[in-house]
């Protein structure tokens, strides 16, 4: 089946082979007589699916036994609260790095629980770059340092992992997790909504160092305590079973591809193809400083914004979907997550050249 290329920022494309496998297994998962959607989360069939998915993720990311992997609901947005609830402890505050729209949301939520110290902000540069390590004004007494490795709306990605000198580092990896290898041991908490690079919406992945579990603020909801979920294998209540299953299929797909190093090479090629097409033209532009450009989300504008609706209409007819930029930014945004094939980016670049030739 020939499907169009979908550049949505999230929920986003999934690998076609994963969707086909899910389709084949939809009515009868491997002789069980049930769809995964109809299974008890405590039955042996689903437990095997859940365990395999976690084992595959641990292998892909190199997650040590000193970390718990939680399969939760509530989205990355719930983690904006759960992180301070679980990590502030006796400390009065935490450091936050502000690089754009998602950082700001995390900061606003953390302010409900404690003092937020802004360790760095690139707002004066209109959030077109990540701050450098030597710009970070870190408080050695902070409970943790929070940052957004990839700002999905601005298309700004950190080219390095901040050094925090022993203070737990917390990362909202929603739009970059699994796009390249990371050294998990550098982090206290990694969290991500699934709908960009993991699977369907409804699942939220939290990778948390075990010594950070068990210190939740008193009086907070049971469901907001990492310990509740870590002690119960993410099955204190009914987990998002179907999304967990689909995430597992995506992990298998990544392993078959050669793991995160192979994925990173492909992602880097895709990003370079698109950015070099943008940079080579006077018609398209991207405002982000070169070293901070995202491999996953590529915002760009047309020289004449009056052409935006024409561009979008013609792109859709050419089989290139969901290129409209975020409502807060305008212009275009091409999200080229793991599941976007190289041919999709090539098709976009070809379309852009043709559109420029006709309208530039
Ligand atoms: C999409 C996104 C979110 C919000 O995720 P939800 O799962 O919708 O809560 C948060 N942070 C980043 C970086 C995102 O890309």
């Amino acid at each position: 089946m020939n499907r169009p290329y979908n550049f949505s920022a999230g929920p986003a494309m999934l690998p076609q082979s994963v969707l086909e496998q899910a389709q084949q297994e939809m009515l009868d998962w491997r002789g069980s007589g049930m769809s995964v959607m109809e299974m008890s989360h405590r039955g042996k069939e689903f437990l095997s699916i859940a365990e395999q998915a976690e084992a595959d993720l641990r292998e892909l990311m190199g997650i040590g036994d000193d970390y718990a992997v939680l399969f939760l609901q509530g989205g990355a947005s719930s983690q904006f609260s759960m992180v301070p609830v679980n990590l502030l402890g006796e400390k009065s505050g935490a450091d936050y790095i502000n690089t754009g729209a998602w950082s700001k949301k995390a900061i606003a939520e953390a302010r409900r629980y404690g003092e937020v110290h802004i360790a760095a902000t690139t707002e004066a540069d209109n959030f077109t770059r990540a701050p450098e390590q030597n710009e970070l004004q870190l408080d050695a007494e902070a409970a943790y340092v929070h940052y957004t490795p990839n700002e999905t709306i601005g298309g700004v990605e950190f080219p390095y992992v901040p050094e925090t000198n022993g203070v737990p580092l917390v990362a909202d990896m929603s739009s970059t997790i699994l796009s390249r290898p990371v050294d998990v041991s550098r982090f206290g908490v990694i969290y991500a909504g699934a709908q960009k690079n993991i699977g369907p919406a409804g699942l939220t992945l939290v990778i948390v160092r075990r010594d950070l579990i068990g210190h939740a603020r008193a009086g907070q909801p049971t469901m907001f305590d990492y310990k509740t979920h870590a002690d119960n294998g993410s099955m204190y209540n009914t987990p998002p079973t179907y999304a967990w299953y689909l995430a597992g299929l995506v992990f298998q797909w990544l392993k078959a591809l050669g793991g995160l190093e192979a994925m990173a090479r492909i992602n880097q090629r895709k990003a370079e193809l698109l950015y070099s097409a943008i940079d080579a033209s006077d018609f398209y532009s991207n405002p982000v400083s070169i070293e901070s450009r995202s491999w996953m989300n590529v915002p760009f504008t047309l020289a004449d914004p009056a052409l935006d609706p024409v561009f979008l209409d013609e792109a859709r007819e050419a089989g290139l979907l969901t290129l409209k930029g975020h409502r807060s930014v305008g212009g275009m945004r091409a999200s080229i997550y793991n599941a976007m094939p190289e041919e999709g980016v090539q098709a976009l670049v070809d379309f852009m050249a043709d559109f420029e030739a006709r309208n530039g």
Side-chain angles (χ1 to χ4, degrees), residues 74-77 80 102 148 150 152 172 174-175 193 195-196:
S77 302
F80 296 165
W102 288 115
T148 310
N150 185 67
T152 320
D172 174 3
S174 294
S175 52
Q195 66 273 19
K196 280 106 187 204

Side-chain angles (χ1 to χ4, degrees), residues 270-292:
K270 289 187 307 192
E272 278 171 7
L273 178 61
L274 184 47
Y275 286 115
S276 42
I278 291 169
D279 289 344
S281 100
D282 294 328
F283 189 75
Y284 303 105
S285 65
N286 167 286
V288 180
S289 74
I290 287 175
E291 63 286 355
S292 304

Side-chain angles (χ1 to χ4, degrees), residues 42-358:
R42 307 202 189 275
K44 68 177 187 330
E45 294 88 354
F46 186 74
L47 288 178
S48 75
I49 291 171
E51 280 165 20
Q52 186 67 50
E54 180 173 338
D56 287 339
L57 179 70
R58 283 183 180 276
E59 185 182 331
L60 279 167
M61 292 184 71
I63 302 171
D65 289 339
D66 48 338
Y67 287 79
V69 177
L70 310 178
F71 291 78
L72 308 182
Q73 306 190 42
S77 302
S78 288
Q79 295 308 310
F80 296 165
S81 323
M82 281 178 81
V83 165
V85 163
N86 285 273
L87 266 58
L88 274 178
E90 304 296 303
K91 305 263 188 174
S92 58
D95 279 344
Y96 276 71
I97 302 174
N98 182 9
T99 48
W102 288 115
S103 301
K104 283 187 170 183
K105 286 205 159 170
I107 289 165
E109 198 61 24
R111 286 204 163 115
R112 297 160 60 98
Y113 299 94
E115 278 168 40
V116 169
H117 169 241
I118 304 298
T121 173
T122 52
E123 190 149 23
D125 298 315
N126 214 9
F127 297 124
T128 51
R129 65 182 188 91
E132 289 174 30
Q133 174 76 44
N134 63 17
E135 293 176 73
L136 307 181
Q137 302 195 327
L138 299 174
D139 174 2
E141 292 304 311
Y144 60 90
V145 180
H146 180 283
Y147 83 120
T148 310
N150 185 67
E151 284 282 357
T152 320
I153 295 174
V156 172
E157 186 157 15
F158 277 71
Y160 69 99
V161 174
E163 175 54 57
T164 57
N165 300 309
V167 175
L169 179 62
V170 178
D172 174 3
M173 278 199 196
S174 294
S175 52
T176 187
I177 191 166
L178 299 172
S179 68
R180 59 173 102 187
V182 286
D183 179 357
V184 172
S185 72
R186 301 277 309 274
F187 296 86
V189 180
I190 291 171
Y191 64 88
Q195 66 273 19
K196 280 106 187 204
N197 237 355
I198 299 171
L203 168 69
T204 311
L205 213 59
V206 179
I207 302 164
V208 51
R209 220 173 61 210
R210 292 191 195 274
D211 64 290
L212 300 172
I213 298 173
H215 313 290
R217 179 173 290 198
Q220 294 295 319
T222 306
M223 286 289 288
F224 268 35
D225 188 343
Y226 287 148
K227 187 167 165 37
T228 301
H229 303 290
D231 285 353
N232 291 284
S234 303
M235 296 196 192
Y236 172 76
N237 72 326
T238 315
T241 51
Y242 199 73
W244 192 332
Y245 154 74
L246 268 181
L249 296 185
V250 170
F251 301 154
Q252 292 266 329
W253 173 80
L254 278 166
K255 280 175 65 176
L257 202 96
L260 299 192
E261 274 164 26
M263 191 71 256
R265 283 192 292 275
I266 297 170
N267 284 331
Q268 186 171 20
R269 280 203 299 269
K270 289 187 307 192
E272 278 171 7
L273 178 61
L274 184 47
Y275 286 115
S276 42
I278 291 169
D279 289 344
S281 100
D282 294 328
F283 189 75
Y284 303 105
S285 65
N286 167 286
V288 180
S289 74
I290 287 175
E291 63 286 355
S292 304
R293 282 175 165 179
S294 169
W295 285 7
M296 296 283 105
N297 310 97
V298 184
F300 61 93
T301 50
L302 275 52
D304 178 5
L307 287 170
D308 285 3
V310 187
F311 181 94
L312 288 166
D313 278 349
E314 292 187 11
R316 196 180 330 102
E317 305 224 321
L320 307 167
L321 310 183
T322 338
L323 283 160
K324 194 172 168 45
H326 190 269
R327 60 190 183 279
S328 66
V329 181
M332 310 298 153
R333 174 174 50 168
S335 293
I336 50 175
Y337 298 117
N338 286 353
M340 173 61 66
E342 292 187 86
E343 302 80 60
V345 180
Q346 187 63 56
L348 172 60
V349 165
D350 292 345
F351 169 79
M352 288 167 69
D354 178 59
F355 188 84
E356 178 177 357
R358 288 182 287 109

Side-chain angles (χ1 to χ4, degrees), residues 29-40:
W29 184 80
R30 303 187 197 173
S32 67
M34 294 177 274
S35 165
V36 175
M37 276 180 266
E38 303 168 306
M39 290 176 182
S40 164

